[in-house]
Amino acid sequence: MSTEVFTSDFLVIGSGIAGLTFAIKASDLGTVHVVTKKKDFDSNTNYAQGGIASVFDPHDSIESHIKDTLTAGAGLCNETAVRILAESGPERVQELINWGAHFSTRKNPNGSVSLDLGREGGHSYNRIVHAKDLTGQEVERALLDEIARRKNIRVFENHTAVDLLTQHQLKLTGKHINSYNNIRCYGAYILDNTTGVVHLFTSPYTLLATGGIGQVYLHTTNPAIATGDGIAMAYRAGALIADMEFIQFHPTSLYEPGHKERAFLISEAVRGEEAILLNSRGERFMEKVHPLKELAPRDIVARAIDMELKRLGDQCVYLDISFKDRDFLESRFPTIYHYCLGAGIDISKEPIPVVPAAHYLCGGIVSDLNGRTSISNLYVSGESACTGVHGANRLASNSLLEGIVFSHRAFCHIKEIFAPDNKDALPPFPQWDKKGTFDLEEWILIQHNIEDVKRVMWDYVGIVRSNRRLERAARRITLLEEEILDYYRRSTITSRLVELHNLITTAKLIVQSAMLRKESRGLHYNTNYPQQDESLNGSYIISSQQQPLFMKISEISFT
Ligand code: FAD
Ligand code: SIN
């Protein structure tokens, strides 16, 4: 099979909440190609349990949602982005409902029906819109159904984006790219995983919506797709990247001995229904740590668990909700109830063994308030983006919301400049160059490299960091990068090889950012600098084109 060129008005890379909501809207303007490296439903979105934070309770307020988000963000949020997030929430959630998403409802005493709003850590009110504990699955289903109804959208499953198309591939002479603001994106090289052929997908507008990075760590709640591909691709192309040190560890993933590719999440909503955390001695340790106890912000709960495990030499702590009625638990948390039962734990009778696991990346590709990146015509939304809404720590259930809000804004921005003939003026790009590459026979070496990266990151760049651990991580990641780049250049490309290439780049960016931040703040806790330093109220901005910059995300603008 030979290389083809697929041209569309919009190229969307990723089929989670951010990519699909953008694609639906863009299809009103023109043709959309959605490229996704797995079958339809495999995304972080699909596994989201808790829900979508948004103000629907009449006693709640937008100001309160903003305040809670800023408090969690520990001084690093872009306040304008946070205001946009909270204000747009109800309208965007309603749009999901209009597209067919069914969220849990409750009957009020006066007989009216309203959304059932859950509670999660750091929120001052019940404001989590949810579909039992299957929110992401329900949203993904509704969006895929809507996509199927749209004639302008073509979805390419089992296709992996390898690299962005910029002037670099055109090998333009006389136009030296020496700063971030003269790079332009024209689409991407996309590998068809089934045939092994790399095709050219060209488009005047590309949206990166490739999700998170959890697979960089040994223990994660994220599925196998979360290998930081979009961030690594954008970095290679010269985009600005920020806040990569802020990795959120979810306090409560199910403890199951033996390594699993994805740890099963026990939603924070379980603590929202009054579950308590106990150590192996049966002590409720969160009472001594924070006035909000189990509903303290996630970084605090995860660190408290980590300390408890180290103090007592235990493998897990326990989350107890067994005092609630079985019927209630089965109906409110069907996924969790049945998964645990399958693992031999009846949550209505006994506490659930839990441990923290890597869960969410607050940083990513720097974007302005309209989803624009530093690369012209390249937009970003969802977990790959750094809009500044999360700062140093994301408030629970703000990420699905971020995806829908900023995909909408990216769409609105493009709508103003869109012309149907934009795609006719795209330059011709060379085919993917596979000269001098060989089929990789030593797969075991790749597998070992992946495990090495994950272990280094877990052991040295985890919940609690120190200068010594970070230096050790940097040395090992540099060595692993050399080995991986060597294979990458010599081997015929496969999806797994692309992921390994991106995992090591992502790991490098996290370590580099963690070493730059000489304080403890939000999710970044370094024992050498245990306090927050107010003179460091800004972000480290990294790019492959220049030295790191230190500035506020809100001060960055793209023309
Ligand atoms: P994703 O949903 O991860 O989608 C990324 C897409 O990109 C996938 O389709 C993937 O196949 C594709 N992709 C990646 N790389 C490539 C490539 N190279 N080529 C082609 N395609 C590619 N957030 C909340 O707000 N509320 C919650 O209750 C909640 N619960 C969560 C529970 C779990 C277990 C997890 C893991 C996360 C949870 N989160 C929650 C976080 C939230 O789900 C994610 O941040 C959000 O879904 C990210 O959406 P996204 O569209 O950016 O990316
Ligand atoms: C959860 O249900 O605990 C996850 C919520 C989130 O990550 O926002």
Side-chain angles (χ1 to χ4, degrees):
M1 219 184 158
S2 58
T3 300
E4 289 183 59
V5 180
F6 295 91
T7 302
S8 56
D9 291 304
F10 300 93
L11 172 62
V12 176
I13 306 177
S15 61
I17 194 167
L20 295 183
T21 52
F22 178 88
I24 291 170
K25 285 161 189 268
S27 70
D28 287 338
L29 296 180
T31 53
V32 186
H33 286 160
V34 177
V35 169
T36 181
K37 69 180 173 180
K38 282 285 158 61
K39 292 288 281 178
D40 51 24
F41 53 81
D42 208 9
S43 57
N44 274 5
T45 299
N46 191 56
Y47 296 97
Q49 293 183 353
I52 309 177
S54 206
V55 174
F56 283 95
D57 179 343
H59 301 105
D60 192 3
S61 68
I62 300 290
E63 292 310 316
S64 169
H65 189 181
I66 293 172
K67 186 162 166 273
D68 291 344
T69 303
L70 295 177
T71 304
L76 285 201
C77 295
N78 175 355
E79 293 198 27
T80 314
V82 172
R83 178 162 291 281
I84 288 171
L85 181 86
E87 285 177 348
S88 323
E91 201 182 333
R92 299 277 74 81
V93 170
Q94 184 57 49
E95 196 165 48
L96 292 177
I97 296 172
N98 298 345
W99 284 327
H102 298 292
F103 295 118
S104 299
T105 52
R106 71 161 54 149
K107 210 165 184 183
N108 300 312
N110 65 3
S112 64
V113 173
S114 54
L115 288 168
D116 181 47
L117 301 171
R119 184 74 167 260
E120 288 181 2
H123 288 277
S124 304
Y125 287 90
N126 283 30
R127 60 168 78 103
I128 313 299
V129 178
H130 62 99
K132 300 193 179 222
D133 61 356
L134 296 157
T135 309
Q137 194 177 309
E138 173 55 13
V139 167
E140 189 79 15
R141 179 206 61 74
L143 294 176
L144 286 171
D145 285 355
E146 182 64 25
I147 291 272
R149 290 191 279 270
R150 304 274 174 149
K151 293 204 172 44
N152 258 350
I153 304 179
R154 181 166 170 197
V155 180
F156 294 77
E157 287 179 345
N158 279 316
H159 280 66
T160 303
V162 181
D163 263 319
L164 295 170
L165 297 173
T166 63
Q167 296 96 320
H168 290 76
Q169 284 89 9
L170 286 176
K171 301 193 172 54
L172 290 181
T173 50
K175 187 167 185 191
H176 182 57
I177 298 168
N178 57 6
S179 82
Y180 64 78
N181 52 16
N182 60 5
I183 306 175
R184 180 170 169 188
C185 179
Y186 300 89
Y189 284 114
I190 308 280
L191 169 72
D192 179 338
N193 299 345
T194 43
T195 62
V197 176
V198 179
H199 298 293
L200 279 160
F201 278 64
T202 57
S203 179
Y205 302 104
T206 301
L207 177 86
L208 275 175
T210 47
I213 56 94
Q215 287 292 328
V216 166
Y217 285 91
L218 194 60
H219 304 291
T220 177
T221 61
N222 291 192
I225 55 101
T227 48
D229 295 6
I231 295 167
M233 276 191 285
Y235 173 75
R236 286 195 290 276
L240 302 185
I241 312 288
D243 289 350
M244 293 294 287
E245 65 275 38
F246 299 116
I247 311 290
Q248 186 166 71
F249 290 80
H250 198 292
T252 57
S253 76
L254 182 64
Y255 172 67
E256 293 180 276
H259 179 250
K260 293 207 149 206
E261 186 174 66
R262 180 178 71 85
F264 181 77
L265 183 74
I266 307 294
S267 174
E268 195 154 308
V270 177
R271 277 174 281 138
E273 295 290 351
E274 298 167 5
I276 55 169
L277 281 164
L278 303 169
N279 63 21
S280 58
R281 295 178 180 164
E283 294 157 347
R284 190 177 174 191
F285 54 90
M286 282 310 298
E287 281 183 330
K288 285 183 249 144
V289 177
H290 195 276
L292 289 171
K293 301 171 197 160
E294 282 79 6
L295 285 178
R298 262 182 210 177
D299 56 320
I300 292 168
V301 183
R303 249 190 336 268
I305 295 177
D306 189 66
M307 266 185 68
E308 214 59 17
L309 296 180
K310 286 183 178 139
R311 190 171 71 86
L312 299 174
D314 289 335
Q315 298 294 318
C316 63
V317 295
Y318 297 89
L319 184 68
D320 192 8
I321 186 113
S322 61
F323 47 85
K324 291 266 183 183
D325 179 60
R326 194 189 72 89
D327 290 345
F328 166 78
L329 291 175
E330 193 178 358
S331 131
R332 174 68 179 87
F333 301 115
T335 320
I336 295 170
Y337 179 83
H338 288 290
Y339 187 95
C340 288
L341 211 52
I345 304 152
D346 182 343
I347 69 169
S348 68
K349 295 206 175 105
E350 59 197 309
I352 312 166
V354 290
V355 278
H359 183 63
Y360 184 83
L361 170 70
C362 293
I365 306 161
V366 176
S367 93
D368 70 5
L369 299 172
N370 295 315
R372 285 194 297 177
T373 71
S374 56
I375 296 184
S376 305
N377 299 46
L378 178 69
Y379 291 72
V380 64
S381 177
E383 195 166 336
S384 307
C386 180
T387 57
V389 292
H390 307 306
N393 186 13
R394 174 183 66 109
L395 187 64
S397 286
N398 262 354
S399 43
L400 292 173
L401 182 62
E402 183 193 25
I404 44 182
V405 167
F406 287 92
S407 283
H408 174 74
R409 290 184 64 89
F411 164 73
C412 292
H413 182 262
I414 295 175
K415 196 174 164 193
E416 296 302 311
I417 48 177
F418 176 78
D421 58 358
N422 282 348
K423 65 178 175 305
D424 303 335
L426 295 170
F429 276 84
Q431 290 188 5
W432 180 256
D433 184 2
K434 59 175 194 176
K435 278 201 294 291
T437 62
F438 302 92
D439 286 347
L440 188 76
E441 282 161 7
E442 295 183 281
W443 175 250
I444 189 75
L445 295 179
I446 290 205
Q447 195 53 38
H448 280 171
N449 275 154
I450 293 175
E451 282 159 21
D452 287 349
V453 173
K454 287 158 88 75
R455 191 162 281 289
V456 167
M457 294 302 287
W458 183 257
D459 288 346
Y460 306 131
V461 201
I463 298 173
V464 175
R465 301 160 182 182
S466 69
N467 287 348
R468 222 157 134 195
R469 287 181 192 195
L470 292 176
E471 279 155 19
R472 183 173 278 209
R475 281 197 300 274
R476 299 199 175 179
I477 292 293
T478 304
L479 269 177
L480 283 165
E481 187 184 25
E482 272 171 31
E483 284 182 20
I484 291 167
L485 285 182
D486 179 50
Y487 293 143
Y488 187 77
R489 290 191 193 108
R490 288 188 296 116
S491 311
T492 307
I493 205 152
T494 63
S495 185
R496 204 65 185 124
L497 190 59
V498 170
E499 290 182 336
L500 175 62
H501 188 208
N502 293 328
L503 274 182
I504 191 70
T505 306
T506 307
K508 186 177 74 174
L509 293 172
I510 296 170
V511 174
Q512 190 183 349
S513 307
M515 290 180 90
L516 284 167
R517 188 163 290 283
K518 311 265 184 249
E519 62 166 346
S520 285
R521 182 191 291 263
L523 298 165
H524 173 74
Y525 187 80
N526 182 331
T527 53
N528 293 96
Y529 317 103
Q531 306 297 330
Q532 184 163 316
D533 178 347
E534 294 312 321
S535 70
L536 296 179
N537 275 352
S539 294
Y540 292 96
I541 320 274
I542 297 176
S543 140
S544 56
Q545 308 286 305
Q546 60 193 34
Q547 291 301 312
L549 302 168
F550 181 72
M551 61 198 294
K552 290 183 193 296
I553 298 287
S554 57
E555 287 165 357
I556 299 174
S557 68
F558 306 124
T559 47

